[in-house]
């Protein structure tokens, strides 16, 4: 990414884009607008339709992100999102293409931010798609979910905010390049990233799945949980970072989910008016282990050739 710092009257603007100075100037002008678009509406930038997210930062958020930048050299949220999306696209994850990010600061503290991405056509929320999907399609989506999250974690990438609202579903991508053959689109990665804990985060891989099951366990069937966890474990093993133990993985997800539930009970505004999810989640580790053994025994790679005839 090309970083284009600019000093304007009053606050300073940091622009991160790969599309040249003209787009950088347009981004700064858009961020200075009296009523800039927020929360992802469509807009037109340099003749192209884009998705715009961002807006002013609240007082506590300004102080928190300013201190993280000073003490930990951490990027602003929109800059982190743009960098993470670029990192994921290079590794063929299906994510929106980032076009630019702007951070306006005053005295070193960010006051406003803006992220511009290319729209993903035909994308629908994950929960709506699952509710209308056939059992076979549900299994395909949860299998892809576990496979892709396992690949993220094998690459030491943490999503950081893996909840159903941050996953979209499209028809399988037919374009060559990032996301080819995949249906799931990943959003809102700004809290994570590759080796995110080095930038001051204390989250671990179990926290991604703990956050997911904290919001999704209410409407996931046991077969959905089986498909997700089996695909996750298989993906980790396939990419050279196998899970040390299925029971240990489930226990760590349960601990993380309890922390997520405590956070939701303390801040019910995080669920956006929905009911607080149920408190219990206890998958059958024995059944999962037997399913893993059954799949391993029927896998072509697990078939042992007969001994040669002497």
């Amino acid at each position: 990414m090309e970083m284009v710092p600019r000093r304007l009257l009053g606050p300073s603007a940091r622009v991160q884009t790969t599309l040249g100075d003209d787009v950088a100037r347009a981004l700064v002008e858009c961020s200075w607008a009296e009523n800039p678009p927020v929360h992802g509406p469509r807009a037109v930038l340099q003749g192209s339709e884009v998705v715009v997210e961002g807006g002013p930062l609240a007082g506590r958020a300004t102080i928190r992100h300013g201190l993280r930048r000073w003490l930990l050299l951490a990027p602003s949220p929109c800059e982190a999102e743009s960098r993470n999306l670029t990192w994921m696209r290079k590794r063929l994850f299906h994510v929106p293409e980032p076009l630019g990010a702007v951070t306006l600061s005053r005295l070193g503290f960010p006051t406003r931010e803006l992220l511009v991405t290319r729209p993903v056509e035909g994308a629908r929320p994950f929960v709506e798609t699952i509710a209308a999907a056939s059992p076979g399609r549900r299994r395909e989506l949860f299998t892809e979910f576990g496979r892709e999250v396992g690949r993220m974690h094998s690459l030491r990438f943490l999503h950081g905010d893996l909840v159903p609202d941050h996953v979209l579903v499209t028809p399988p991508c037919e374009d060559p390049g990032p996301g080819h053959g995949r249906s799931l689109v990943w959003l809102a990665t700004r809290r994570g990233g590759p080796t995110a804990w080095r930038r001051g985060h204390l989250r671990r891989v179990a926290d991604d799945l703990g956050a997911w099951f904290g919001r999704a366990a209410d409407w996931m069937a046991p077969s959905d949980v089986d498909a997700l966890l089996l695909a996750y474990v298989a993906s980790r093993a396939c990419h050279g970072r196998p899970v040390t133990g299925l029971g240990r993985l489930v226990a760590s997800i349960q601990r993380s989910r309890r922390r997520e539930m405590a956070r939701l009970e303390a801040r019910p505004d995080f669920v956006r008016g929905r009911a607080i999810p149920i408190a219990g989640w206890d998958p059958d580790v024995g059944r999962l282990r037997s399913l893993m053994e059954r799949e391993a025994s029927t896998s072509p790679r697990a078939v042992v050739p007969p001994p040669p005839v002497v």
Side-chain angles (χ1 to χ4, degrees), residues 124-143 145 164 167-169 184 212 216 219-221 224:
R124 297 181 57 199
F126 186 89
V127 178
E128 293 182 9
T129 305
I130 285 293
S134 64
R137 181 57 174 163
R138 286 178 71 103
R139 182 174 180 82
E140 290 177 0
L141 291 176
F142 280 111
T143 298
F145 183 97
V167 182
L168 303 179
V169 181
L184 300 185
W212 174 266
W219 46 264
M220 286 181 66
D224 300 334

Side-chain angles (χ1 to χ4, degrees), residues 33 59 96 114 201 228 234 244 247 283 285:
L114 197 70
H201 292 272
L228 191 159
T244 56
V285 176

Side-chain angles (χ1 to χ4, degrees), residues 56-66 109-111:
L57 295 174
R60 291 184 178 180
T62 296
I63 296 174
R64 181 173 67 254
H65 294 305
F109 290 91
T111 58

Side-chain angles (χ1 to χ4, degrees), residues 96-219:
E97 180 184 356
L99 301 179
V102 182
T103 304
L104 301 183
S105 303
R106 186 181 296 276
L107 301 177
F109 290 91
T111 58
R112 185 186 295 270
E113 62 174 5
L114 197 70
L115 174 70
V116 179
T117 59
R118 200 176 300 278
V120 179
E121 301 298 336
R124 297 181 57 199
F126 186 89
V127 178
E128 293 182 9
T129 305
I130 285 293
S134 64
R137 181 57 174 163
R138 286 178 71 103
R139 182 174 180 82
E140 290 177 0
L141 291 176
F142 280 111
T143 298
E144 180 181 339
F145 183 97
R147 183 176 65 245
E148 292 294 272
V149 174
R151 189 161 70 94
M152 285 185 204
H153 292 170
S154 297
L155 295 171
R156 296 186 180 274
F157 184 95
L158 303 182
H159 186 283
D161 199 8
L162 190 58
V163 298
D165 290 339
H166 296 159
V167 182
L168 303 179
V169 181
T170 66
C173 180
E174 299 180 355
D175 298 332
H180 177 70
R182 297 172 173 86
S183 297
L184 300 185
V185 183
W186 309 94
L187 308 176
T189 64
R190 64 194 64 188
R191 294 184 181 178
T195 59
W197 52 88
R198 295 183 183 177
R199 297 202 306 269
H201 292 272
L202 300 178
R203 300 177 70 88
R204 294 295 183 265
V205 294
D207 293 327
D208 274 352
L209 295 176
W212 174 266
F213 284 112
R215 307 291 183 91
D218 286 9
W219 46 264

Side-chain angles (χ1 to χ4, degrees), residues 16-81:
Q16 180 175 286
T17 182
T18 58
L19 302 182
D21 287 350
D22 291 340
V23 174
R25 282 190 288 270
L27 287 173
V28 172
E29 292 173 0
C30 184
S31 64
W32 269 106
E34 291 296 330
N35 297 301
V38 296
H39 303 310
R42 299 294 180 93
V44 177
L45 178 67
Q46 298 291 301
S48 300
E49 188 177 25
V50 297
V51 174
V52 183
E53 302 177 26
L57 295 174
R60 291 184 178 180
T62 296
I63 296 174
R64 181 173 67 254
H65 294 305
L67 292 177
R68 290 183 68 248
R69 178 182 291 276
W70 284 5
L71 301 178
L72 303 173
L73 302 179
S76 68
C78 66
E79 292 173 4
E81 178 79 0

